[in-house]
Amino acid sequence: MTAHPLRLPAGPVDLDDIPSDATPGFKGNKKKAKAALFAMGDEIADRQERLFAEGRTTGSHRRVLLVLQGMDTSGKGGVLKHTVGLVDPQGVRITSFKAPTDEEKKHDFLWRVRRAAPQPGYIGVFDRSHYEDVLIGRVDHLAEPEEIERRYDAINDFERELVEDGTVVLKCMLHISKDTQKERLIRRLDRPDKHWKYNPGDLNARSKWDAYREAYNVALERTHTDHAPWFVVPSDHKWFRNLAVGELLLAALRGMDLQWPPADFDVEAERARLLAEDASA
Amino acid sequence: MTAHPLRLPAGPVDLDDIPSDATPGFKGNKKKAKAALFAMGDEIADRQERLFAEGRTTGSHRRVLLVLQGMDTSGKGGVLKHTVGLVDPQGVRITSFKAPTDEEKKHDFLWRVRRAAPQPGYIGVFDRSHYEDVLIGRVDHLAEPEEIERRYDAINDFERELVEDGTVVLKCMLHISKDTQKERLIRRLDRPDKHWKYNPGDLNARSKWDAYREAYNVALERTHTDHAPWFVVPSDHKWFRNLAVGELLLAALRGMDLQWPPADFDVEAERARLLAEDASA
């Protein structure tokens, strides 16, 4: 498969025009998709380790930031488990953004986000993100309209800073239909081992589905930049969603052309030091 | 296999008396060990998810802290990749402790450690830990002897606080021989894709092997408590090490008797709300 069809075109966005049950670029079923994702594991692991090695040794600031956004049940947790779970956890830092704390509310909305940005060599993953501040922030009028307006530009500036400092920013909108959300919510109610994932408050957001869709449309359009593009991932099929994000991550790592860092010490001299122990022991 | 033989007995400790190439409780080879570890994955994942669910919904403070200590090349990274990598990354938080920063040095040695302790519902993993402050701290005289003395008790008090607040503390010393370390260091020099893991400074610590062994002996004895016991994991065989830590983690999760949290909402009322949408749509 190829991930390119997921990249949002420039211009006005209407998510209603993008099928959420499509599997662009992939001809196969659930079983094949799972196998394809699993098969990516080794290459992702190899490239991630090169990134980590580079961050540890060379002073390079290169890193990856994967932003996951989507309505409840769109599968941010599933992507974390199945796709991000392919990567050595040593090189991954996940931040789950909840409603801001009182401390966080005292600062600009990007304050907590800056602190959570990945360190050099890492793959940082945002489970929700600064985009909530122009999504629920807009839908529930948590800030004045002028402030919401300001935030789109602030986000673009912030992401440009990240990119200029060596971060590859990968933004995924996990796109589901309203019907799919309903099925998944009912499934959570049906299964006692899923009750913990159900929150009655989720229905409040669901009741504002159209307002959220509008907020997403605006946010996607305003923050879809060359330096930090958006990918809309059709997510009605969980197996396609997990595979597609894996493809995007792998493509990002490939694009970085990561090499094993050269030794910054004299390999032969070190070997001699180690072998000399025998003589002195 | 059973993990019990790894638990340190009470009393004076001499790591030289504990074989680092043993595979206590496991009769099998590398292939069988890898299969056994993989086979644990589902149960670890299930129990970890219950822990995460509990932390998200019930106000419970239960959590796990896995402390990994050991000399260079003992395999802390390998345990992170192969054992911790079995767990949904969403529920894991890894902290790698480096030499303290200037900011950290201004505070008590436990300051940065408290900040890194896992949140309720999480499995926290320390890649190195507060124990460095009584290991390199002692060997390199980074603090006065009275301060080092004070730290053993401070560590025990700190860990008791964690345990009383609902944390299961699991401390693993990855035990290798000096010869094994040499083989692994040479291997790092032999392979360009391992050069990044090699640090000439590691040989300085190696040259103080006996002093580190003494510091470990003292630290293990002084901080081996009923509430936070030490496990010495023979780690010359990487496959045994990874399996043994997996067994310890699984045993810890089993001991917590984790249940799916009951719904804190009216399941039928929520179902009715969702189904009523059709009527009003």
Side-chain angles (χ1 to χ4, degrees), chain A residues 190 198 206 270-271 277, chain B residues 190 198 206 270-271 277:
Chain A
D190 287 343
Y198 188 95
R206 177 172 170 79
E270 290 300 314
R271 195 193 309 274
E277 279 181 6
Chain B
D190 287 343
Y198 188 94
R206 177 173 170 79
E270 291 300 315
R271 195 191 310 272
E277 280 181 3

Side-chain angles (χ1 to χ4, degrees), chain A residues 196, chain B residues 44-65 87-93 117-125 162 165-168 249 253 256 258-261:
Chain A
W196 70 275
Chain B
I44 289 180
D46 176 79
R47 292 182 188 270
Q48 176 272 327
E49 192 177 0
R50 291 170 190 233
L51 174 63
F52 192 71
E54 181 180 289
R56 279 290 168 98
T57 57
T58 68
S60 157
H61 276 209
R62 295 207 294 174
R63 58 199 119 161
V64 174
L65 173 62
V87 184
D88 185 345
Q90 201 174 356
V92 174
R93 288 297 180 269
Q119 296 297 306
Y122 283 84
I123 297 175
V125 186
L162 290 180
D165 193 37
T167 311
V168 173
L249 180 60
L253 290 168
M256 296 173 84
L258 294 153
Q259 305 300 329
W260 293 112

Side-chain angles (χ1 to χ4, degrees), chain A:
Chain A
M1 70 175 276
T2 167
H4 294 298
L6 308 181
R7 186 179 167 131
L8 198 65
V13 177
D14 187 347
L15 284 168
D16 287 334
D17 289 342
I18 302 176
S20 55
D21 62 351
T23 59
F26 185 73
K27 291 190 206 309
N29 55 15
K30 178 176 176 175
K31 193 176 164 190
K32 284 192 177 157
K34 285 190 171 187
L37 180 62
F38 184 76
M40 259 178 231
D42 283 349
E43 187 181 345
I44 289 180
D46 175 79
R47 292 181 187 270
Q48 175 272 327
E49 192 178 0
R50 292 169 190 234
L51 175 63
F52 192 71
E54 180 179 289
R56 278 291 167 98
T57 57
T58 67
S60 157
H61 277 208
R62 294 207 295 173
R63 55 199 119 158
V64 174
L65 173 62
L66 173 63
V67 174
L68 298 176
Q69 279 291 156
M71 299 294 284
D72 293 317
T73 79
S74 62
K76 298 175 290 292
V79 168
L80 290 173
K81 181 171 183 174
H82 298 288
T83 306
V84 177
L86 291 174
V87 185
D88 184 345
Q90 203 176 178
V92 175
R93 288 296 180 270
I94 298 170
T95 307
S96 295
F97 288 95
K98 310 287 173 198
T101 62
D102 288 342
E103 165 75 3
E104 288 166 348
K105 280 183 194 160
K106 286 180 199 159
H107 299 268
D108 181 68
F109 78 106
L110 288 175
W111 179 76
R112 62 176 186 163
V113 183
R114 286 180 192 281
R115 290 158 55 104
Q119 296 296 307
Y122 282 85
I123 297 175
V125 186
F126 284 179
D127 169 11
R128 300 188 188 271
S129 67
H130 42 300
Y131 284 98
E132 291 298 325
D133 297 286
V134 291
L135 293 166
I136 189 173
R138 180 182 175 113
V139 171
D140 285 352
H141 310 291
L142 302 180
E144 296 298 320
E146 313 83 70
E147 166 62 8
I148 300 285
E149 273 303 306
R150 185 192 70 83
R151 288 179 183 173
Y152 301 111
D153 293 332
I155 286 172
N156 289 336
D157 290 345
F158 165 63
E159 292 177 354
R160 185 179 298 106
E161 273 176 52
L162 290 180
V163 170
E164 286 175 354
D165 193 36
T167 311
V168 173
V169 178
L170 208 55
K171 304 186 292 193
C172 292
M173 193 277 174
L174 307 182
H175 179 41
I176 56 171
S177 71
K178 196 174 177 185
D179 282 347
T180 294
Q181 187 187 61
K182 185 172 187 168
E183 281 167 25
R184 292 182 182 172
L185 288 171
I186 288 178
R187 187 172 159 81
R188 287 182 180 179
L189 292 172
D190 287 343
R191 290 181 48 176
D193 63 332
K194 300 277 185 197
H195 284 167
W196 70 275
K197 292 190 179 185
Y198 188 95
N199 182 339
D202 295 348
L203 289 203
N204 296 333
R206 177 172 170 79
S207 71
K208 300 169 192 164
W209 185 271
D210 293 341
Y212 270 102
R213 181 130 296 191
E214 173 65 16
Y216 265 106
N217 286 343
V218 175
L220 291 172
E221 181 181 343
R222 296 285 298 272
T223 63
H224 182 51
T225 56
D226 284 338
H227 58 272
W230 272 105
F231 297 87
V232 176
V233 179
S235 298
D236 283 351
H237 296 295
K238 295 175 180 179
W239 46 268
F240 178 78
R241 173 199 73 205
N242 295 341
L243 176 62
V245 178
E247 274 281 349
L248 288 168
L249 180 59
L250 180 54
L253 290 168
R254 282 180 179 161
M256 296 173 85
D257 189 26
L258 294 153
Q259 304 300 329
W260 293 111
D264 57 357
F265 51 85
D266 183 333
V267 175
E268 289 316 313
E270 290 300 314
R271 195 193 309 274
R273 276 176 77 195
L274 266 164
L275 294 175
E277 279 181 6
D278 294 324
S280 64

